[in-house]
Amino acid sequence: MMPEPENCPGVQTPNAGLASACQGCPNQKICSDPNKKLEDPGKALVAAALKNVRNKFLILSGKGGVGKSTITMLLARYLSKKYNENNFGVLDIDICGPSQPRLLGVEGENVHQSGSGWSPVSVDDNVCLMSIGFLLGSPDDAIIWRGPKKNGMIRQFLSEVDWGTLDLLLLDTPPGTSDEHLSVVSYLRENEGEQSLNAIIVTTPQEVALLDVRKEINFCKKQQIPIIGVIENMSSFRCGYCGKSSEIFPAKTGGAKAMCEEMHVPYLGSLPLDPELAKLCDQGEDITTLKSDTVDALDQICQHFATFF
């Protein structure tokens, strides 16, 4: 199938092969055939660009504000130190709210383009990052895009970034199950053979967050994406003065662990809220040297990923 023309109505739309823009297109007969199973030609480009990426983790959350981007950064930082002979990449596909450049301490860096595509920004010797945040004139610029333009950007990130050889690519997604999720899944999910795309779901303990996480789990099951497990973030807070622990978000229904048992998905563990770690994240500093209960809990969670390396 030839590349789509500029005014293509879309190969999966009712007007495919019938619109005025389709006249003279070499794909017209293919698109207008109701018995022909169509596949976005971009999928082959993505497969070629990511052929040397062994594993891909979608970091998902049903509700916004549960710390999904922070968890993505924590996993990238900790895994890259724990497995320092492996290579890691982070792709920020939260198009309207890119936060990885700040969290990973590379805000203001420039993306360079070469004959092999965009070069992701180096964070560490074995960690690189690509985000639309690098392409904005100012961090305060608003991105006011509809779904098709977001999807086009995601396709560019997947097919035109020179990731090289990676053992793991972490994809930081926006909350919910919207255009961005459908787009990235359609490009990365293998139709046959071993699946390299997996999902990690982030939540907080309260029921208002768990309600949306259940939807996220069902999204993964319908899309046939294996779920590695659920991480419960901000499970408790330990006061730096009195030493007592408090539940900021009380788990009235048993929290993420009870929900995982109910929905038959793995529970990876919980991370307590740590003000010192939050401060380092906001400054883009490396958190792996911090002595904290949260970092200790992160180490326990990261042991679940040993089989991927």
Side-chain angles (χ1 to χ4, degrees):
M1 196 170 181
M2 299 290 288
E4 300 167 17
E6 184 178 353
N7 297 318
C8 176
V11 296
Q12 301 283 12
T13 64
N15 288 330
L18 305 174
S20 58
C22 301
Q23 300 302 317
C25 174
N27 299 328
Q28 185 177 11
K29 286 186 178 180
I30 300 175
C31 291
S32 59
D33 183 357
N35 299 315
K36 184 73 175 179
K37 186 178 179 181
L38 299 174
E39 186 173 273
D40 188 331
K43 186 161 184 174
L45 298 175
V46 171
L50 300 180
K51 65 181 184 221
N52 294 320
V53 177
R54 286 179 53 209
N55 298 291
K56 309 167 195 80
F57 287 1
L58 278 178
I59 313 298
L60 304 168
S61 73
K63 183 71 71 180
V66 299
K68 167 184 47 57
S69 294
T70 303
I71 295 292
T72 304
M73 179 277 297
L74 291 175
L75 291 176
R77 289 281 197 192
Y78 200 85
L79 288 170
S80 64
K81 290 291 191 293
K82 188 178 179 72
Y83 303 100
N84 56 18
E85 293 185 357
N86 297 89
N87 293 316
F88 299 83
V90 178
L91 176 56
D92 190 353
I93 60 169
D94 192 346
I95 301 297
C96 293
S99 53
Q100 288 303 327
R102 184 170 191 81
L103 289 170
L104 286 167
V106 287
E107 197 172 27
E109 295 288 335
N110 294 317
V111 173
H112 301 286
Q113 194 157 18
S114 66
S116 55
W118 286 335
S119 297
V121 171
S122 176
V123 177
D124 249 326
D125 289 341
N126 62 339
V127 185
C128 59
L129 166 68
M130 187 62 195
S131 169
I132 197 171
F134 296 130
L135 309 179
L136 301 177
S138 163
D140 298 330
D141 286 350
I143 301 170
I144 308 170
W145 289 356
R146 295 187 186 276
K149 198 164 184 181
K150 290 180 184 178
N151 295 344
M153 189 79 256
I154 291 170
R155 172 173 158 176
Q156 277 190 278
F157 280 158
L158 293 173
S159 64
E160 297 181 21
V161 174
D162 182 15
W163 292 105
T165 300
L166 295 180
D167 295 283
L168 175 61
L169 178 64
L170 295 159
L171 296 102
D172 183 18
T173 67
T177 53
S178 54
D179 287 333
E180 293 93 330
H181 304 81
L182 291 171
S183 180
V184 75
V185 167
S186 69
Y187 285 128
L188 295 182
R189 184 184 54 207
E190 284 87 358
N191 294 330
E192 54 187 33
E194 188 177 354
Q195 186 70 256
S196 67
L197 180 65
N198 295 273
I200 296 172
I201 301 174
V202 181
T203 185
T204 45
Q206 75 274 36
E207 184 60 27
V208 71
L210 297 175
L211 282 171
D212 288 340
V213 168
R214 289 183 176 90
K215 298 180 180 72
E216 202 79 41
I217 291 172
N218 286 325
F219 167 81
C220 291
K221 289 179 177 178
K222 287 179 180 178
Q223 295 294 322
Q224 298 178 333
I225 305 167
I227 300 172
I228 297 174
V230 175
I231 297 174
E232 184 179 73
N233 194 27
M234 297 184 270
S235 58
S236 62
F237 168 72
R238 185 176 181 274
C239 179
Y241 293 98
C242 68
K244 291 184 178 179
S245 292
S246 305
E247 289 186 350
I248 297 178
F249 306 109
K252 300 285 188 181
T253 58
K257 190 171 185 179
M259 181 207 64
C260 288
E261 291 174 358
E262 173 195 333
M263 300 199 71
H264 308 292
V265 295
Y267 174 71
L268 299 180
S270 63
L271 294 176
L273 187 60
D274 186 333
E276 187 61 31
L277 187 141
K279 182 180 176 182
L280 291 177
C281 291
D282 207 37
Q283 295 171 344
E285 300 288 339
D286 188 355
I287 53 84
T288 55
T289 57
L290 181 68
K291 300 296 182 185
S292 119
D293 292 343
T294 304
V295 176
D296 291 342
L298 183 64
D299 177 66
Q300 294 297 313
I301 288 171
C302 286
Q303 290 180 20
H304 292 278
F305 310 133
T307 55
F308 291 93
F309 304 104

